[in-house]
Amino acid sequence: AQSVTQLDSHVSVSEGTPVLLRCNYSSSYSPSLFWYVQHPNKGLQLLLKYTSAATLVKGINGFEAEFKKSETSFHLTKPSAHMSDAAEYFCVVSLSNFGNEKLTFGTGTRLTIIP
Amino acid sequence: KAGVTQTPRYLIKTRGQQVTLSCSPISGHRSVSWYQQTPGQGLQFLFEYFSETQRNKGNFPGRFSGRQFSNSRSEMNVSTLELGDSALYLCASSFGRGGKETQYFGPGTRLLVL
């Protein structure tokens, strides 16, 4: 079975300060991990993904995440927050083995940017 | 390349009715998955279609069904609507199958059941 836990339901940071959104996963097999962002009344947009290549993954809009197998974590970071980063962020896990493509979503972290 | 499109974008139905939602994947993508998003349950996987066959199914009652056509377009049907079916229904497409494939999401269809 696979599962993902987003440790914070809501994070607030000031514009220009670093962002840290935490995610822990559980998977019996080698997982693929994704971060998606959802702006209000919009669909989900892929930020980045990890598929067993480099453990530090760079995504769009200055976001990056590091896969740490020993800690079963895949935290999302950004050095400097921008007002446009305000949105809901989802950590997602999928099994890498062929035949199970179901995405399992975390409960989401709402990111608020303080001007 | 056009993204995933979903129609209609908004829908209002009453209890007991049925509804059909449509999803057109990105050109060349053969896998289509459906998800339900609600404030209480979050994002939950409904089912996945590939080459006109349902390949994977989530834990939803049989009132939820779907199909995929030869051009990879997919429809989802919900019969005997209940108030709890009010949700944002998201469709996602990917080129192939496999956990490493990136799924691209459409804007969703927001269904309100009265």
Side-chain angles (χ1 to χ4, degrees):
Chain A
Q2 60 194 38
S3 67
V4 61
T5 302
Q6 291 185 245
L7 298 163
D8 307 294
S9 59
H10 191 196
V11 170
S12 293
V13 301
S14 297
E15 190 176 16
T17 64
V19 175
L20 170 64
L21 304 184
R22 298 181 296 166
C23 171
N24 286 100
Y25 70 91
S26 171
S27 176
S28 303
Y29 301 95
S30 177
S32 290
L33 293 158
F34 306 80
W35 276 98
Y36 281 88
V37 60
Q38 186 176 36
H39 288 92
N41 300 314
K42 296 283 184 65
L44 291 157
Q45 180 184 19
L46 178 72
L47 278 177
L48 49 81
K49 70 175 183 179
Y50 165 79
T51 57
S52 76
T55 56
L56 182 62
V57 182
K58 293 188 184 300
I60 62 171
N61 301 334
F63 284 96
E64 63 181 40
E66 186 171 8
F67 173 73
K68 292 186 176 181
K69 187 174 180 180
S70 60
E71 298 176 12
T72 61
S73 69
F74 191 58
H75 301 334
L76 181 71
T77 60
K78 182 173 181 177
S80 175
H82 191 272
M83 293 301 294
S84 61
D85 294 329
E88 184 125 24
Y89 292 78
F90 294 92
C91 183
V92 183
V93 64
S94 175
L95 294 183
S96 291
N97 57 307
F98 185 84
N100 189 333
E101 294 68 37
K102 182 182 72 171
L103 298 182
T104 300
F105 284 79
T107 51
T109 298
R110 182 165 299 278
L111 177 63
T112 299
I113 311 298
I114 304 166
Chain B
K1 194 182 269 191
V4 178
T5 57
Q6 292 187 245
T7 56
R9 292 292 312 278
Y10 303 93
L11 207 49
I12 300 175
K13 292 285 187 179
T14 57
R15 279 182 300 173
Q17 287 187 309
Q18 77 163 17
V19 67
T20 299
L21 312 181
S22 181
C23 171
S24 292
I26 291 172
S27 178
H29 284 192
R30 298 177 296 167
S31 174
V32 174
S33 297
W34 289 89
Y35 297 84
Q36 182 197 64
Q37 185 177 25
T38 60
Q41 300 298 318
L43 274 149
Q44 296 184 92
F45 172 78
L46 280 156
F47 28 65
E48 182 224 356
Y49 286 86
F50 183 84
S51 294
E52 302 177 62
T53 303
Q54 187 180 92
R55 304 290 180 147
N56 208 347
K57 191 177 190 307
N59 297 322
F60 279 81
R63 300 185 296 108
F64 291 81
S65 63
R67 58 178 176 168
Q68 186 180 35
F69 302 94
S70 58
N71 61 357
S72 294
R73 189 177 70 85
S74 177
E75 288 182 346
M76 189 191 90
N77 185 74
V78 188
S79 62
T80 320
L81 283 166
E82 300 177 359
L83 295 179
D85 296 334
S86 295
L88 179 67
Y89 290 89
L90 293 164
C91 163
S93 76
S94 61
F95 176 74
R97 306 192 68 219
K100 296 184 179 183
E101 288 280 341
T102 297
Q103 294 193 18
Y104 296 87
F105 284 80
T109 293
R110 189 166 294 281
L111 171 65
L112 177 62
V113 181
L114 301 176

mmCIF file of all heavy atoms in Angstrom, chain B residues 40-86:
data_model
loop_
_atom_site.group_PDB
_atom_site.id
_atom_site.type_symbol
_atom_site.label_atom_id
_atom_site.label_comp_id
_atom_site.label_asym_id
_atom_site.label_seq_id
_atom_site.Cartn_x
_atom_site.Cartn_y
_atom_site.Cartn_z
ATOM 1 N N GLY B 40 -14.063 17.527 2.034
ATOM 2 C CA GLY B 40 -13.960 16.563 3.115
ATOM 3 C C GLY B 40 -13.031 15.397 2.836
ATOM 4 O O GLY B 40 -12.279 14.961 3.699
ATOM 5 N N GLN B 41 -13.046 14.883 1.627
ATOM 6 C CA GLN B 41 -12.279 13.687 1.275
ATOM 7 C C GLN B 41 -11.022 13.985 0.472
ATOM 8 O O GLN B 41 -10.217 13.080 0.223
ATOM 9 C CB GLN B 41 -13.163 12.714 0.485
ATOM 10 C CG GLN B 41 -14.384 12.235 1.238
ATOM 11 C CD GLN B 41 -14.007 11.470 2.482
ATOM 12 O OE1 GLN B 41 -13.084 10.660 2.488
ATOM 13 N NE2 GLN B 41 -14.713 11.742 3.567
ATOM 14 N N GLY B 42 -10.859 15.222 0.033
ATOM 15 C CA GLY B 42 -9.684 15.544 -0.764
ATOM 16 C C GLY B 42 -9.790 14.972 -2.162
ATOM 17 O O GLY B 42 -10.882 14.814 -2.704
ATOM 18 N N LEU B 43 -8.643 14.638 -2.727
ATOM 19 C CA LEU B 43 -8.582 14.099 -4.084
ATOM 20 C C LEU B 43 -8.559 12.585 -4.032
ATOM 21 O O LEU B 43 -7.665 11.991 -3.459
ATOM 22 C CB LEU B 43 -7.322 14.598 -4.790
ATOM 23 C CG LEU B 43 -7.449 15.944 -5.471
ATOM 24 C CD1 LEU B 43 -6.135 16.688 -5.465
ATOM 25 C CD2 LEU B 43 -7.940 15.754 -6.901
ATOM 26 N N GLN B 44 -9.525 11.975 -4.690
ATOM 27 C CA GLN B 44 -9.608 10.517 -4.686
ATOM 28 C C GLN B 44 -9.691 9.987 -6.112
ATOM 29 O O GLN B 44 -10.409 10.533 -6.940
ATOM 30 C CB GLN B 44 -10.832 10.056 -3.891
ATOM 31 C CG GLN B 44 -10.790 10.417 -2.424
ATOM 32 C CD GLN B 44 -11.982 9.849 -1.708
ATOM 33 O OE1 GLN B 44 -11.920 8.729 -1.166
ATOM 34 N NE2 GLN B 44 -13.072 10.561 -1.710
ATOM 35 N N PHE B 45 -8.970 8.913 -6.344
ATOM 36 C CA PHE B 45 -8.925 8.274 -7.651
ATOM 37 C C PHE B 45 -10.213 7.512 -7.913
ATOM 38 O O PHE B 45 -10.692 6.754 -7.069
ATOM 39 C CB PHE B 45 -7.729 7.317 -7.667
ATOM 40 C CG PHE B 45 -7.641 6.423 -8.866
ATOM 41 C CD1 PHE B 45 -7.172 6.902 -10.073
ATOM 42 C CD2 PHE B 45 -8.024 5.091 -8.778
ATOM 43 C CE1 PHE B 45 -7.083 6.074 -11.175
ATOM 44 C CE2 PHE B 45 -7.931 4.255 -9.870
ATOM 45 C CZ PHE B 45 -7.469 4.749 -11.066
ATOM 46 N N LEU B 46 -10.774 7.745 -9.099
ATOM 47 C CA LEU B 46 -11.989 7.045 -9.510
ATOM 48 C C LEU B 46 -11.660 5.839 -10.378
ATOM 49 O O LEU B 46 -11.979 4.709 -10.028
ATOM 50 C CB LEU B 46 -12.909 7.993 -10.278
ATOM 51 C CG LEU B 46 -13.749 8.927 -9.432
ATOM 52 C CD1 LEU B 46 -14.145 10.155 -10.229
ATOM 53 C CD2 LEU B 46 -14.998 8.207 -8.922
ATOM 54 N N PHE B 47 -11.095 6.075 -11.539
ATOM 55 C CA PHE B 47 -10.685 4.983 -12.429
ATOM 56 C C PHE B 47 -9.755 5.492 -13.508
ATOM 57 O O PHE B 47 -9.604 6.695 -13.704
ATOM 58 C CB PHE B 47 -11.871 4.261 -13.097
ATOM 59 C CG PHE B 47 -13.110 5.085 -13.291
ATOM 60 C CD1 PHE B 47 -13.117 6.175 -14.142
ATOM 61 C CD2 PHE B 47 -14.285 4.755 -12.623
ATOM 62 C CE1 PHE B 47 -14.262 6.927 -14.323
ATOM 63 C CE2 PHE B 47 -15.436 5.506 -12.809
ATOM 64 C CZ PHE B 47 -15.424 6.593 -13.657
ATOM 65 N N GLU B 48 -9.141 4.523 -14.216
ATOM 66 C CA GLU B 48 -8.213 4.825 -15.283
ATOM 67 C C GLU B 48 -8.563 3.980 -16.498
ATOM 68 O O GLU B 48 -8.909 2.798 -16.378
ATOM 69 C CB GLU B 48 -6.770 4.525 -14.877
ATOM 70 C CG GLU B 48 -5.749 4.877 -15.960
ATOM 71 C CD GLU B 48 -4.689 3.820 -16.165
ATOM 72 O OE1 GLU B 48 -4.677 2.819 -15.429
ATOM 73 O OE2 GLU B 48 -3.863 3.993 -17.081
ATOM 74 N N TYR B 49 -8.486 4.618 -17.663
ATOM 75 C CA TYR B 49 -8.728 3.919 -18.920
ATOM 76 C C TYR B 49 -7.503 4.017 -19.805
ATOM 77 O O TYR B 49 -6.823 5.056 -19.848
ATOM 78 C CB TYR B 49 -9.941 4.514 -19.645
ATOM 79 C CG TYR B 49 -11.239 4.111 -18.995
ATOM 80 C CD1 TYR B 49 -11.765 4.839 -17.936
ATOM 81 C CD2 TYR B 49 -11.924 2.972 -19.407
ATOM 82 C CE1 TYR B 49 -12.928 4.454 -17.318
ATOM 83 C CE2 TYR B 49 -13.094 2.577 -18.797
ATOM 84 C CZ TYR B 49 -13.592 3.330 -17.739
ATOM 85 O OH TYR B 49 -14.744 2.949 -17.117
ATOM 86 N N PHE B 50 -7.255 2.913 -20.503
ATOM 87 C CA PHE B 50 -6.144 2.865 -21.447
ATOM 88 C C PHE B 50 -6.571 1.941 -22.574
ATOM 89 O O PHE B 50 -7.012 0.822 -22.317
ATOM 90 C CB PHE B 50 -4.873 2.356 -20.770
ATOM 91 C CG PHE B 50 -3.656 2.337 -21.655
ATOM 92 C CD1 PHE B 50 -2.892 3.474 -21.825
ATOM 93 C CD2 PHE B 50 -3.282 1.174 -22.316
ATOM 94 C CE1 PHE B 50 -1.769 3.467 -22.629
ATOM 95 C CE2 PHE B 50 -2.165 1.160 -23.133
ATOM 96 C CZ PHE B 50 -1.408 2.309 -23.283
ATOM 97 N N SER B 51 -6.436 2.412 -23.788
ATOM 98 C CA SER B 51 -6.843 1.619 -24.956
ATOM 99 C C SER B 51 -8.254 1.080 -24.805
ATOM 100 O O SER B 51 -8.521 -0.116 -25.000
ATOM 101 C CB SER B 51 -5.859 0.456 -25.190
ATOM 102 O OG SER B 51 -4.601 0.948 -25.548
ATOM 103 N N GLU B 52 -9.148 1.959 -24.394
ATOM 104 C CA GLU B 52 -10.594 1.690 -24.306
ATOM 105 C C GLU B 52 -10.951 0.673 -23.221
ATOM 106 O O GLU B 52 -12.087 0.184 -23.199
ATOM 107 C CB GLU B 52 -11.140 1.227 -25.674
ATOM 108 C CG GLU B 52 -10.892 2.235 -26.794
ATOM 109 C CD GLU B 52 -11.367 1.733 -28.140
ATOM 110 O OE1 GLU B 52 -12.571 1.499 -28.281
ATOM 111 O OE2 GLU B 52 -10.517 1.570 -29.045
ATOM 112 N N THR B 53 -10.024 0.353 -22.344
ATOM 113 C CA THR B 53 -10.273 -0.628 -21.293
ATOM 114 C C THR B 53 -10.020 -0.005 -19.924
ATOM 115 O O THR B 53 -9.036 0.715 -19.747
ATOM 116 C CB THR B 53 -9.363 -1.854 -21.478
ATOM 117 O OG1 THR B 53 -9.570 -2.407 -22.770
ATOM 118 C CG2 THR B 53 -9.649 -2.904 -20.411
ATOM 119 N N GLN B 54 -10.890 -0.310 -18.987
ATOM 120 C CA GLN B 54 -10.650 0.150 -17.626
ATOM 121 C C GLN B 54 -9.527 -0.680 -17.021
ATOM 122 O O GLN B 54 -9.638 -1.910 -16.922
ATOM 123 C CB GLN B 54 -11.921 0.020 -16.772
ATOM 124 C CG GLN B 54 -11.763 0.639 -15.388
ATOM 125 C CD GLN B 54 -13.027 0.513 -14.561
ATOM 126 O OE1 GLN B 54 -13.196 -0.441 -13.809
ATOM 127 N NE2 GLN B 54 -13.931 1.469 -14.706
ATOM 128 N N ARG B 55 -8.487 -0.032 -16.566
ATOM 129 C CA ARG B 55 -7.299 -0.734 -16.078
ATOM 130 C C ARG B 55 -7.183 -0.707 -14.572
ATOM 131 O O ARG B 55 -6.477 -1.521 -13.991
ATOM 132 C CB ARG B 55 -6.043 -0.098 -16.684
ATOM 133 C CG ARG B 55 -6.048 -0.058 -18.187
ATOM 134 C CD ARG B 55 -5.900 -1.431 -18.817
ATOM 135 N NE ARG B 55 -5.896 -1.383 -20.262
ATOM 136 C CZ ARG B 55 -5.195 -2.210 -21.035
ATOM 137 N NH1 ARG B 55 -4.449 -3.148 -20.489
ATOM 138 N NH2 ARG B 55 -5.261 -2.090 -22.346
ATOM 139 N N ASN B 56 -7.827 0.274 -13.946
ATOM 140 C CA ASN B 56 -7.661 0.449 -12.513
ATOM 141 C C ASN B 56 -8.900 1.146 -11.996
ATOM 142 O O ASN B 56 -9.497 1.968 -12.707
ATOM 143 C CB ASN B 56 -6.415 1.310 -12.256
ATOM 144 C CG ASN B 56 -5.763 1.007 -10.923
ATOM 145 O OD1 ASN B 56 -6.341 0.330 -10.077
ATOM 146 N ND2 ASN B 56 -4.557 1.515 -10.740
ATOM 147 N N LYS B 57 -9.297 0.813 -10.772
ATOM 148 C CA LYS B 57 -10.523 1.384 -10.239
ATOM 149 C C LYS B 57 -10.337 1.715 -8.785
ATOM 150 O O LYS B 57 -9.723 0.949 -8.024
ATOM 151 C CB LYS B 57 -11.676 0.392 -10.410
ATOM 152 C CG LYS B 57 -13.051 0.967 -10.141
ATOM 153 C CD LYS B 57 -14.121 -0.085 -10.404
ATOM 154 C CE LYS B 57 -15.524 0.494 -10.381
ATOM 155 N NZ LYS B 57 -15.848 1.264 -9.172
ATOM 156 N N GLY B 58 -10.875 2.854 -8.370
ATOM 157 C CA GLY B 58 -10.830 3.254 -6.972
ATOM 158 C C GLY B 58 -12.024 2.712 -6.218
ATOM 159 O O GLY B 58 -12.809 1.911 -6.727
ATOM 160 N N ASN B 59 -12.178 3.146 -4.970
ATOM 161 C CA ASN B 59 -13.234 2.624 -4.104
ATOM 162 C C ASN B 59 -14.489 3.475 -4.178
ATOM 163 O O ASN B 59 -14.851 4.161 -3.229
ATOM 164 C CB ASN B 59 -12.730 2.552 -2.663
ATOM 165 C CG ASN B 59 -11.566 1.603 -2.519
ATOM 166 O OD1 ASN B 59 -11.534 0.559 -3.162
ATOM 167 N ND2 ASN B 59 -10.605 1.963 -1.688
ATOM 168 N N PHE B 60 -15.146 3.431 -5.295
ATOM 169 C CA PHE B 60 -16.392 4.166 -5.483
ATOM 170 C C PHE B 60 -17.493 3.172 -5.857
ATOM 171 O O PHE B 60 -17.229 2.134 -6.445
ATOM 172 C CB PHE B 60 -16.232 5.220 -6.587
ATOM 173 C CG PHE B 60 -15.559 6.481 -6.120
ATOM 174 C CD1 PHE B 60 -14.174 6.548 -6.009
ATOM 175 C CD2 PHE B 60 -16.308 7.596 -5.761
ATOM 176 C CE1 PHE B 60 -13.561 7.702 -5.557
ATOM 177 C CE2 PHE B 60 -15.693 8.757 -5.325
ATOM 178 C CZ PHE B 60 -14.316 8.809 -5.224
ATOM 179 N N PRO B 61 -18.744 3.515 -5.518
ATOM 180 C CA PRO B 61 -19.839 2.588 -5.835
ATOM 181 C C PRO B 61 -20.056 2.457 -7.343
ATOM 182 O O PRO B 61 -19.568 3.264 -8.134
ATOM 183 C CB PRO B 61 -21.050 3.249 -5.155
ATOM 184 C CG PRO B 61 -20.680 4.670 -4.973
ATOM 185 C CD PRO B 61 -19.199 4.702 -4.781
ATOM 186 N N GLY B 62 -20.822 1.443 -7.701
ATOM 187 C CA GLY B 62 -21.060 1.149 -9.114
ATOM 188 C C GLY B 62 -21.829 2.235 -9.854
ATOM 189 O O GLY B 62 -21.896 2.201 -11.082
ATOM 190 N N ARG B 63 -22.377 3.201 -9.108
ATOM 191 C CA ARG B 63 -23.064 4.322 -9.769
ATOM 192 C C ARG B 63 -22.090 5.146 -10.610
ATOM 193 O O ARG B 63 -22.499 5.871 -11.514
ATOM 194 C CB ARG B 63 -23.696 5.250 -8.734
ATOM 195 C CG ARG B 63 -24.721 4.604 -7.834
ATOM 196 C CD ARG B 63 -25.393 5.643 -6.924
ATOM 197 N NE ARG B 63 -24.462 6.276 -5.991
ATOM 198 C CZ ARG B 63 -24.035 7.526 -6.092
ATOM 199 N NH1 ARG B 63 -24.425 8.292 -7.102
ATOM 200 N NH2 ARG B 63 -23.194 8.028 -5.195
ATOM 201 N N PHE B 64 -20.833 5.027 -10.292
ATOM 202 C CA PHE B 64 -19.793 5.734 -11.035
ATOM 203 C C PHE B 64 -19.236 4.787 -12.099
ATOM 204 O O PHE B 64 -18.748 3.702 -11.780
ATOM 205 C CB PHE B 64 -18.672 6.181 -10.101
ATOM 206 C CG PHE B 64 -19.066 7.257 -9.144
ATOM 207 C CD1 PHE B 64 -19.752 6.962 -7.974
ATOM 208 C CD2 PHE B 64 -18.758 8.584 -9.412
ATOM 209 C CE1 PHE B 64 -20.122 7.960 -7.093
ATOM 210 C CE2 PHE B 64 -19.112 9.589 -8.532
ATOM 211 C CZ PHE B 64 -19.797 9.279 -7.369
ATOM 212 N N SER B 65 -19.314 5.213 -13.334
ATOM 213 C CA SER B 65 -18.800 4.378 -14.410
ATOM 214 C C SER B 65 -18.153 5.270 -15.461
ATOM 215 O O SER B 65 -18.309 6.493 -15.447
ATOM 216 C CB SER B 65 -19.915 3.553 -15.044
ATOM 217 O OG SER B 65 -20.888 4.405 -15.636
ATOM 218 N N GLY B 66 -17.456 4.652 -16.360
ATOM 219 C CA GLY B 66 -16.815 5.436 -17.398
ATOM 220 C C GLY B 66 -16.579 4.608 -18.634
ATOM 221 O O GLY B 66 -16.895 3.395 -18.672
ATOM 222 N N ARG B 67 -16.063 5.270 -19.633
ATOM 223 C CA ARG B 67 -15.646 4.552 -20.840
ATOM 224 C C ARG B 67 -14.653 5.404 -21.599
ATOM 225 O O ARG B 67 -14.533 6.619 -21.354
ATOM 226 C CB ARG B 67 -16.842 4.224 -21.721
ATOM 227 C CG ARG B 67 -17.671 5.417 -22.174
ATOM 228 C CD ARG B 67 -18.795 4.953 -23.084
ATOM 229 N NE ARG B 67 -19.683 6.050 -23.480
ATOM 230 C CZ ARG B 67 -20.589 5.941 -24.445
ATOM 231 N NH1 ARG B 67 -20.737 4.798 -25.105
ATOM 232 N NH2 ARG B 67 -21.359 6.961 -24.758
ATOM 233 N N GLN B 68 -13.963 4.767 -22.515
ATOM 234 C CA GLN B 68 -13.011 5.477 -23.352
ATOM 235 C C GLN B 68 -13.244 5.076 -24.800
ATOM 236 O O GLN B 68 -13.487 3.901 -25.096
ATOM 237 C CB GLN B 68 -11.576 5.154 -22.932
ATOM 238 C CG GLN B 68 -10.532 5.983 -23.676
ATOM 239 C CD GLN B 68 -9.102 5.645 -23.255
ATOM 240 O OE1 GLN B 68 -8.798 4.499 -22.962
ATOM 241 N NE2 GLN B 68 -8.252 6.657 -23.242
ATOM 242 N N PHE B 69 -13.148 6.039 -25.664
ATOM 243 C CA PHE B 69 -13.389 5.812 -27.086
ATOM 244 C C PHE B 69 -12.073 5.575 -27.824
ATOM 245 O O PHE B 69 -10.985 5.778 -27.271
ATOM 246 C CB PHE B 69 -14.142 7.009 -27.676
ATOM 247 C CG PHE B 69 -15.447 7.272 -26.982
ATOM 248 C CD1 PHE B 69 -15.534 8.175 -25.936
ATOM 249 C CD2 PHE B 69 -16.602 6.599 -27.365
ATOM 250 C CE1 PHE B 69 -16.736 8.419 -25.284
ATOM 251 C CE2 PHE B 69 -17.815 6.842 -26.721
ATOM 252 C CZ PHE B 69 -17.874 7.751 -25.684
ATOM 253 N N SER B 70 -12.188 5.200 -29.063
ATOM 254 C CA SER B 70 -10.990 4.857 -29.835
ATOM 255 C C SER B 70 -10.061 6.059 -30.033
ATOM 256 O O SER B 70 -8.865 5.885 -30.285
ATOM 257 C CB SER B 70 -11.386 4.262 -31.192
ATOM 258 O OG SER B 70 -12.185 5.181 -31.918
ATOM 259 N N ASN B 71 -10.602 7.263 -29.918
ATOM 260 C CA ASN B 71 -9.745 8.457 -30.058
ATOM 261 C C ASN B 71 -9.202 8.912 -28.698
ATOM 262 O O ASN B 71 -8.675 10.021 -28.583
ATOM 263 C CB ASN B 71 -10.521 9.589 -30.718
ATOM 264 C CG ASN B 71 -11.732 10.027 -29.904
ATOM 265 O OD1 ASN B 71 -12.020 9.439 -28.862
ATOM 266 N ND2 ASN B 71 -12.433 11.048 -30.369
ATOM 267 N N SER B 72 -9.344 8.068 -27.697
ATOM 268 C CA SER B 72 -8.863 8.285 -26.317
ATOM 269 C C SER B 72 -9.732 9.228 -25.500
ATOM 270 O O SER B 72 -9.502 9.350 -24.294
ATOM 271 C CB SER B 72 -7.405 8.769 -26.279
ATOM 272 O OG SER B 72 -6.544 7.775 -26.751
ATOM 273 N N ARG B 73 -10.697 9.867 -26.105
ATOM 274 C CA ARG B 73 -11.627 10.679 -25.315
ATOM 275 C C ARG B 73 -12.352 9.780 -24.327
ATOM 276 O O ARG B 73 -12.603 8.590 -24.599
ATOM 277 C CB ARG B 73 -12.623 11.386 -26.217
ATOM 278 C CG ARG B 73 -13.492 12.433 -25.516
ATOM 279 C CD ARG B 73 -14.415 13.142 -26.506
ATOM 280 N NE ARG B 73 -15.464 12.271 -27.011
ATOM 281 C CZ ARG B 73 -16.629 12.053 -26.387
ATOM 282 N NH1 ARG B 73 -16.869 12.626 -25.218
ATOM 283 N NH2 ARG B 73 -17.536 11.268 -26.930
ATOM 284 N N SER B 74 -12.661 10.368 -23.178
ATOM 285 C CA SER B 74 -13.296 9.553 -22.137
ATOM 286 C C SER B 74 -14.528 10.258 -21.598
ATOM 287 O O SER B 74 -14.626 11.486 -21.612
ATOM 288 C CB SER B 74 -12.308 9.304 -20.999
ATOM 289 O OG SER B 74 -12.902 8.578 -19.939
ATOM 290 N N GLU B 75 -15.465 9.475 -21.160
ATOM 291 C CA GLU B 75 -16.651 9.985 -20.480
ATOM 292 C C GLU B 75 -16.790 9.301 -19.138
ATOM 293 O O GLU B 75 -16.436 8.127 -18.980
ATOM 294 C CB GLU B 75 -17.915 9.722 -21.306
ATOM 295 C CG GLU B 75 -18.042 10.589 -22.538
ATOM 296 C CD GLU B 75 -19.330 10.341 -23.294
ATOM 297 O OE1 GLU B 75 -20.008 9.332 -23.023
ATOM 298 O OE2 GLU B 75 -19.644 11.144 -24.183
ATOM 299 N N MET B 76 -17.309 10.048 -18.196
ATOM 300 C CA MET B 76 -17.625 9.498 -16.892
ATOM 301 C C MET B 76 -19.109 9.719 -16.629
ATOM 302 O O MET B 76 -19.639 10.793 -16.919
ATOM 303 C CB MET B 76 -16.825 10.216 -15.813
ATOM 304 C CG MET B 76 -16.911 9.576 -14.451
ATOM 305 S SD MET B 76 -16.223 10.601 -13.158
ATOM 306 C CE MET B 76 -17.668 11.498 -12.691
ATOM 307 N N ASN B 77 -19.759 8.708 -16.121
ATOM 308 C CA ASN B 77 -21.188 8.782 -15.858
ATOM 309 C C ASN B 77 -21.454 8.508 -14.375
ATOM 310 O O ASN B 77 -20.845 7.611 -13.779
ATOM 311 C CB ASN B 77 -21.931 7.751 -16.709
ATOM 312 C CG ASN B 77 -23.435 7.881 -16.562
ATOM 313 O OD1 ASN B 77 -24.046 8.795 -17.093
ATOM 314 N ND2 ASN B 77 -24.033 6.957 -15.833
ATOM 315 N N VAL B 78 -22.326 9.311 -13.807
ATOM 316 C CA VAL B 78 -22.785 9.044 -12.445
ATOM 317 C C VAL B 78 -24.302 8.930 -12.495
ATOM 318 O O VAL B 78 -24.984 9.859 -12.948
ATOM 319 C CB VAL B 78 -22.376 10.163 -11.466
ATOM 320 C CG1 VAL B 78 -22.707 9.736 -10.028
ATOM 321 C CG2 VAL B 78 -20.898 10.496 -11.595
ATOM 322 N N SER B 79 -24.809 7.801 -12.059
ATOM 323 C CA SER B 79 -26.260 7.598 -12.070
ATOM 324 C C SER B 79 -26.819 7.816 -10.659
ATOM 325 O O SER B 79 -26.075 7.779 -9.666
ATOM 326 C CB SER B 79 -26.586 6.186 -12.545
ATOM 327 O OG SER B 79 -26.037 5.235 -11.664
ATOM 328 N N THR B 80 -28.101 8.043 -10.582
ATOM 329 C CA THR B 80 -28.797 8.222 -9.308
ATOM 330 C C THR B 80 -28.009 9.141 -8.379
ATOM 331 O O THR B 80 -27.538 8.740 -7.305
ATOM 332 C CB THR B 80 -29.051 6.865 -8.619
ATOM 333 O OG1 THR B 80 -29.430 5.883 -9.585
ATOM 334 C CG2 THR B 80 -30.174 6.994 -7.601
ATOM 335 N N LEU B 81 -27.857 10.369 -8.797
ATOM 336 C CA LEU B 81 -27.023 11.318 -8.074
ATOM 337 C C LEU B 81 -27.473 11.496 -6.625
ATOM 338 O O LEU B 81 -28.672 11.527 -6.314
ATOM 339 C CB LEU B 81 -27.035 12.667 -8.784
ATOM 340 C CG LEU B 81 -26.171 12.759 -10.043
ATOM 341 C CD1 LEU B 81 -26.525 13.993 -10.848
ATOM 342 C CD2 LEU B 81 -24.698 12.747 -9.672
ATOM 343 N N GLU B 82 -26.464 11.637 -5.760
ATOM 344 C CA GLU B 82 -26.697 11.926 -4.337
ATOM 345 C C GLU B 82 -26.049 13.275 -4.011
ATOM 346 O O GLU B 82 -25.154 13.730 -4.724
ATOM 347 C CB GLU B 82 -26.088 10.820 -3.479
ATOM 348 C CG GLU B 82 -26.664 9.440 -3.753
ATOM 349 C CD GLU B 82 -25.975 8.351 -2.939
ATOM 350 O OE1 GLU B 82 -25.035 8.679 -2.175
ATOM 351 O OE2 GLU B 82 -26.375 7.177 -3.077
ATOM 352 N N LEU B 83 -26.515 13.871 -2.913
ATOM 353 C CA LEU B 83 -25.966 15.171 -2.522
ATOM 354 C C LEU B 83 -24.447 15.106 -2.369
ATOM 355 O O LEU B 83 -23.726 16.038 -2.707
ATOM 356 C CB LEU B 83 -26.610 15.648 -1.219
ATOM 357 C CG LEU B 83 -28.101 15.948 -1.265
ATOM 358 C CD1 LEU B 83 -28.587 16.386 0.115
ATOM 359 C CD2 LEU B 83 -28.419 17.016 -2.305
ATOM 360 N N GLY B 84 -23.975 13.996 -1.861
ATOM 361 C CA GLY B 84 -22.536 13.824 -1.621
ATOM 362 C C GLY B 84 -21.705 13.710 -2.873
ATOM 363 O O GLY B 84 -20.475 13.682 -2.796
ATOM 364 N N ASP B 85 -22.358 13.635 -4.028
ATOM 365 C CA ASP B 85 -21.608 13.573 -5.278
ATOM 366 C C ASP B 85 -21.174 14.959 -5.741
ATOM 367 O O ASP B 85 -20.425 15.083 -6.716
ATOM 368 C CB ASP B 85 -22.459 12.915 -6.374
ATOM 369 C CG ASP B 85 -22.798 11.470 -6.059
ATOM 370 O OD1 ASP B 85 -22.027 10.813 -5.314
ATOM 371 O OD2 ASP B 85 -23.847 10.985 -6.547
ATOM 372 N N SER B 86 -21.637 15.982 -5.048
ATOM 373 C CA SER B 86 -21.195 17.342 -5.377
ATOM 374 C C SER B 86 -19.690 17.429 -5.181
ATOM 375 O O SER B 86 -19.176 17.145 -4.092
ATOM 376 C CB SER B 86 -21.892 18.362 -4.472
ATOM 377 O OG SER B 86 -23.274 18.380 -4.712
#
